[in-house]
Amino acid sequence: SAYLKEKIDFIYWEDPRVVIIPNGIEKGKFLPWKKEKYILTVSRLVHAKWIQDLIEAVKDIELWDWKIKIVWEWPLKSELEQKVQDYSLENNIEFLWWIDNASEHMKELYGKASIFCQPSHFENMSVVLLEAMQAGCVVVANNVWWNKEVVWDAWVYTAHSKIELQKSLSKLFQDENLREELSQKNLQLSQKFEWDVIHPEYMQLLSYD
């Protein structure tokens, strides 16, 4: 990512040998299915991923028939489940255990999700965002620039701003045309990160004389 390159340049005085090659995804690994009204997030449940921001945001807005599905790994499950109970969101938020990324279940979860939310305040270059875009999800993410390198058309909000996150989700809940527009943009953008596009960049670098 450009973010990581900036850090390396700071240490090594802008070494010209440092180039940016994005992470890649397998072509056709995830595909859009008939979309359903749920938000998906895939994350380790640690404080740095700020899943608590998402829970805090949705407790104060009208969810109608929207659901949130969280594919997770330890260690904060019990703490976040308690938040869900405290806010009486048990009927809207579902914690799913770790799911194999190559499984049909994961393909279905990505494929049917209308919105993918990544509330973490720090990422280098997130592969889960690429996967969500490939599945035609509308991406809601912090407007930190390492996210914007990947999803220029994401519905972004300022980190730590619960109000902005609430406004973003409420708007998307009510505007099906907007969701479809952003979904199509993300599908097209995801093609730039498929391995048949990224692989030649590695080959060119490695064959440099």
Side-chain angles (χ1 to χ4, degrees):
S1 67
Y3 168 77
L4 187 58
K5 182 181 186 302
E6 182 186 68
K7 295 299 183 184
I8 295 171
D9 284 344
F10 178 78
I11 297 171
Y12 295 104
W13 299 93
E14 297 189 13
D15 190 325
R17 295 172 298 175
V18 178
V19 299
I20 298 171
I21 300 179
N23 284 332
I25 49 174
E26 178 186 344
K27 185 174 183 177
K29 180 177 181 180
F30 295 103
L31 298 169
W33 294 33
K34 181 177 175 55
K35 294 299 184 182
E36 298 181 0
K37 290 185 176 181
Y38 68 82
I39 301 168
L40 177 67
T41 186
V42 179
S43 176
R44 289 180 298 113
L45 296 191
V46 295
H47 284 293
K49 295 298 183 179
W50 289 96
I51 303 301
Q52 57 269 34
D53 275 9
L54 176 59
I55 297 172
E56 292 280 348
V58 300
K59 75 180 178 67
D60 293 323
I61 60 175
E62 177 60 66
L63 290 172
W64 291 286
D65 53 348
W66 282 81
K67 308 292 184 183
I68 296 99
K69 298 188 179 187
I70 302 172
V71 178
W72 61 280
E73 293 183 72
W74 291 101
L76 295 181
K77 179 174 182 285
S78 58
E79 178 181 327
L80 295 178
E81 281 185 325
Q82 186 61 53
K83 280 185 177 290
V84 169
Q85 293 177 19
D86 291 343
Y87 302 145
S88 301
L89 291 169
E90 297 96 323
N91 293 329
N92 296 99
I93 298 179
E94 178 183 7
F95 288 94
L96 303 173
W97 177 232
W98 176 88
I99 299 173
D100 187 343
N101 189 260
S103 69
E104 289 300 315
H105 190 187
M106 186 63 85
K107 291 178 181 179
E108 180 180 358
L109 283 169
Y110 270 120
K112 290 183 177 180
S114 291
I115 300 170
F116 185 90
C117 184
Q118 180 165 278
S120 62
H121 300 171
F122 177 87
E123 297 285 342
N124 179 30
M125 185 177 184
S126 175
V127 174
V128 296
L129 288 188
L130 300 180
E131 293 172 343
M133 291 161 58
Q134 189 182 53
C137 301
V138 177
V139 170
V140 176
N142 279 312
N143 66 349
V144 288
W145 66 305
W146 44 86
N147 277 342
K148 293 194 288 185
E149 283 182 64
V150 178
V151 281
W152 294 102
D153 290 306
W155 197 269
V156 295
Y157 65 96
T158 303
H160 291 295
S161 176
K162 183 176 71 172
I163 293 175
E164 286 189 24
L165 178 53
Q166 289 170 335
K167 288 180 178 178
S168 297
L169 293 175
S170 294
K171 176 67 173 176
L172 290 168
F173 289 166
Q174 299 175 70
D175 196 333
E176 183 176 358
N177 291 332
L178 178 60
R179 296 199 305 270
E180 178 61 23
E181 176 188 342
L182 292 173
S183 172
Q184 291 303 314
K185 285 183 177 180
N186 282 344
L187 277 170
Q188 294 176 12
L189 187 57
S190 71
Q191 296 173 8
K192 294 172 53 179
F193 299 98
E194 292 176 350
W195 277 119
D196 58 354
V197 176
I198 302 300
H199 175 260
E201 297 186 43
Y202 278 104
M203 296 306 296
Q204 181 179 2
L205 179 68
L206 294 172
S207 63
Y208 177 72
D209 187 357

